[in-house]
Amino acid sequence: MPSLGRLHLITDTRPGRDPLTVLRAVLPVAHAELVVQVRVEDTATDREAYDLARRVVALCAPYGVPCLVNDRLHVALAAGAAGGHVGAADLPVEAARRVLGPDAVLGATAREPVSAVAAVEAGASYLGVGPCHATTTKDGLPPAIGAAGVRAVVEAVNVPVIAIGGVTAEGVPALRVAGAYGVAVVGALSGAADPARAAAELLRGLSC
Ligand SMILES: Cc1ncc(COP(=O)(O)OP(=O)(O)O)c(N)n1
Ligand SMILES: Cc1nc(C(=O)O)sc1CCOP(=O)(O)O
Ligand SMILES: [Mg+2]
């Protein structure tokens, strides 16, 4: 499996957001370290998810950037994505691995060491760990775990840990010190006035 990028751009499909414009801006700056995760609202249809995933796959292909699909693994397969990401409400990791096959990238959400170890044993190739900080992007999350919570997971597993939740360029160094391999962001790129510049700032922190 090729090495994983350290900057995971998660698509923002909330009303008023423009995920493809953000992606077009970020790709030339971050391609060597970029992973794109297609994440749509729960209310989106599979057709909408598929259409977005196809467009993201096509935009990413010339840059060699992998596209993952959140939750909907049939969409990942149909769109020719490199893999998927699952959490507690999705297919179990072991079933997701069977669906995607042995070579796919498979991310799993883990918030503490015990479930992290179980996810890796079940076939996760990286872990999304958070929420690191408060975020307004997603409702219903448990309390933030901070850099210390990330470190606890890092020390328990031997796969890349991708820190998520309220991640900003300013917060990246502390997460790297805690052992995070990379970060996943929605708002830090989607909400930026200049997404290319925001990506460069995130990458600066990740390169330390
Ligand atoms: C990199 C990364 N980490 C965590 C998540 C969250 O996944 P999940 O817990 O399944 O929640 P939803 O994103 O499906 O709402 C993620 N998507 N990516
Ligand atoms: C989709 C998602 N999952 C999280 C988790 O902790 O499981 S936090 C999150 C949203 C991340 O958005 P932002 O970078 O804008 O905070
Ligand atoms: Mg999910």
Side-chain angles (χ1 to χ4, degrees):
M1 190 180 305
S3 71
L4 189 71
R6 293 182 193 270
L7 178 58
H8 293 221
L9 180 168
I10 301 183
T11 59
D12 190 348
T13 58
R14 290 173 293 176
R17 303 296 174 126
D18 186 352
L20 295 178
T21 296
V22 172
L23 177 57
R24 283 191 196 94
V26 170
L27 270 169
V29 178
H31 57 95
E33 284 294 351
L34 193 64
V35 173
V36 181
Q37 182 189 132
V38 172
R39 178 175 182 270
V40 297
E41 304 298 297
D42 288 343
T43 52
T45 64
D46 278 349
R47 180 67 67 90
E48 289 166 336
Y50 173 75
D51 287 345
L52 178 60
R54 290 285 292 176
R55 296 179 75 178
V56 169
V57 167
L59 284 171
C60 288
Y63 292 93
V65 168
C67 168
L68 311 179
V69 176
N70 186 47
D71 297 349
R72 307 187 197 204
L73 303 184
H74 56 307
V75 173
L77 291 173
H85 186 99
V86 294
D90 309 314
L91 278 182
V93 177
E94 157 273 328
R97 174 55 74 194
R98 270 188 282 122
V99 169
L100 291 177
D103 297 331
V105 179
L106 175 57
T109 304
R111 309 198 186 283
E112 39 68 40
V114 172
S115 62
V117 169
V120 174
E121 284 174 355
S125 40
Y126 76 88
L127 297 176
V129 175
C132 298
H133 306 293
T135 177
T136 56
T137 303
K138 178 174 165 180
D139 295 328
L141 285 167
I145 63 172
V150 172
R151 183 188 294 278
V153 173
V154 167
E155 289 174 350
V157 298
N158 59 358
V159 298
V161 164
I162 304 298
I164 187 170
V167 174
T168 61
E170 293 69 35
V172 169
L175 295 168
R176 289 282 292 153
V177 168
Y181 175 85
V183 298
V185 300
V186 180
L189 289 173
S190 172
D194 182 346
R197 185 173 170 173
E201 287 168 2
L202 286 160
L203 287 170
R204 208 168 301 130
L206 287 167
S207 67
C208 302

